[in-house]
Amino acid sequence: MPRIPLRTRLREAGAPLAVRSFRLHFTARMLSWTGSAVAPIGMAFAVLHLGGGASGLGLVLAANVAPQILLLLIGGVVADRWSRATVMVWTNILSAGAQGVAAVLLWTGAAQVWHLVAVSALCGAASSFFTPAAGGVVVEVVPAEMRYAANALLKIGQNTVKIAGPAVGGVLVAAVGSSWVIGWDAFTFAAAAVLCARLNLAPTKAKVRTGFVADLREGWGDFWSRRWLWVMVLQGAVVVPVWLVGYQMLGPVYGENYLGGAAGWGWWSAPSPAAWCSAPPRP
C-alpha cells in the first residue's frame, strides 16, 4: 500500500477542528480539563490544611463519587429530553459557582471541611448530568467520516492534560495556595459554559413521551442487555474505589507527611517519564 505522508495524516487528524461546533466543544473540554486536572490536588491539600486528615478527605471524595453513581442514569434521560447544550451550560455554571464559593471561603480563611464536602457533592451531581450530554455532541456535530478523528482528538487532549495536571497542580498549590487553584477550576467551568452556549446543535429529535420513569426503565433495560457494558461497570465499581483510596486519599496524606507537601506529591504522582527521570531525590 502507498505510504501516506505525515502532513496528510496530520491534516486528516485535525480535520474535525474545521467544524465550528466541534471546535467550540473541543476548546470547552480542554479548558475544563485544565481546571479539573489541578483541582483535586488543591482540594486535597485544602482539606489537609484545615485539619480534616484522611477521614475528611475521604468524605470529600465520597461526596463527589456518590452523586455520579446515583444520578448518572437520570442524567442520561435528561440529556435525551432536553437540549444537550443547555444541560452542559447549566452544569458548568453550577460547577463554576460551587468551586468559586470554595475558593472564596479558602481565600478568606472561613472554609471548613463540611463546606468542601458540600462543594464536592454539587460538582459530582453536575458531572452526572454533564457527562451523558457531552457524550453525544460528537455524533451531532461531526460528519460520520470524521468521528474517529474527533474522538481521538478529545482523548489525546484529555490524556495530555492528565499527564501534566498533578505536577502543575502541586507546584501551584505550594506557590499560590489551594484557593487560587480551585479558583482557576471555577474560571475554566465558567469559560466552558460560555463556549457551550455558542454550540449550534440540532434540535432534539421528537420522540413519544412515555414518562420519566418509563424512560429510566428503558435506559436500564438497554444497559442491562449489553453484557460487555455492565461487566465493565462492575469492574470499575471494584477498581475505582481502590484507586480513590490509594491515590486521591492516602497519596496526598503521604505527600504532606513525607514528600514535603503539595509540590512533592504533585511531582511524584504525575505520570510523566520526563518527571521520573529528572525528579530530585526523595527526602
Side-chain angles (χ1 to χ4, degrees):
M1 294 181 63
R3 184 175 181 179
I4 301 176
L6 177 61
R7 181 179 299 179
T8 302
R9 293 183 180 183
L10 292 176
R11 185 169 59 250
E12 292 176 353
L17 293 173
V19 180
R20 178 180 179 275
S21 292
F22 177 77
R23 189 165 62 248
L24 288 170
H25 178 61
F26 178 80
T27 305
R29 298 305 300 273
M30 286 296 295
L31 266 173
S32 183
W33 284 328
T34 62
S36 298
V38 300
I41 299 284
M43 187 66 75
F45 283 90
V47 173
L48 295 178
H49 293 164
L50 290 174
S55 60
L57 186 52
L59 285 174
V60 170
L61 293 174
N64 183 263
V65 173
Q68 297 184 55
I69 296 173
L70 297 174
L71 299 176
L72 191 61
L73 193 59
I74 296 175
V77 174
V78 169
D80 283 341
R81 285 175 163 253
W82 285 278
S83 165
R84 294 182 184 275
T86 301
V87 174
M88 292 164 67
V89 167
W90 283 107
T91 52
N92 272 306
I93 289 174
L94 175 60
S95 296
Q99 293 289 66
V101 168
V104 170
L105 290 173
L106 289 168
W107 186 70
T108 59
Q112 299 181 31
V113 173
W114 74 267
H115 293 145
L116 303 184
V117 172
V119 165
S120 187
L122 286 173
C123 290
S127 178
S128 67
F129 288 87
F130 175 87
T131 301
V137 170
V138 170
V139 175
E140 289 197 27
V141 304
V142 178
E145 65 273 12
M146 295 184 183
R147 287 172 189 166
Y148 286 114
N151 285 318
L153 282 172
L154 288 169
K155 184 56 66 175
I156 290 171
Q158 183 183 24
N159 289 338
T160 300
V161 173
K162 280 183 177 181
I163 289 173
V168 173
V171 171
L172 289 176
V173 170
V176 299
S178 294
S179 61
W180 291 99
V181 172
I182 294 174
W184 167 252
D185 193 29
F187 170 78
T188 61
F189 277 125
V194 173
L195 292 171
C196 289
R198 301 176 61 191
L199 282 174
N200 184 23
L201 300 182
T204 303
K205 295 180 180 179
K207 62 176 289 188
V208 178
R209 297 298 185 186
T210 56
F212 200 88
V213 175
D215 284 350
L216 277 176
R217 189 181 299 114
E218 178 185 349
W220 175 258
D222 187 61
F223 164 77
W224 193 249
S225 68
R226 304 173 190 273
R227 183 177 179 181
W228 64 269
L229 182 58
W230 60 257
V231 168
M232 289 182 63
V233 170
L234 287 177
Q235 180 188 34
V238 175
V239 174
V240 171
V242 175
W243 174 79
L244 285 173
V245 171
Y247 180 78
Q248 290 200 342
M249 187 179 78
L250 297 180
V253 173
Y254 181 84
E256 179 72 4
N257 292 331
Y258 300 105
L259 299 179
W265 169 244
W267 186 273
W268 285 104
S269 62
S272 169
W276 295 337
C277 293
S278 61
R282 292 183 183 231

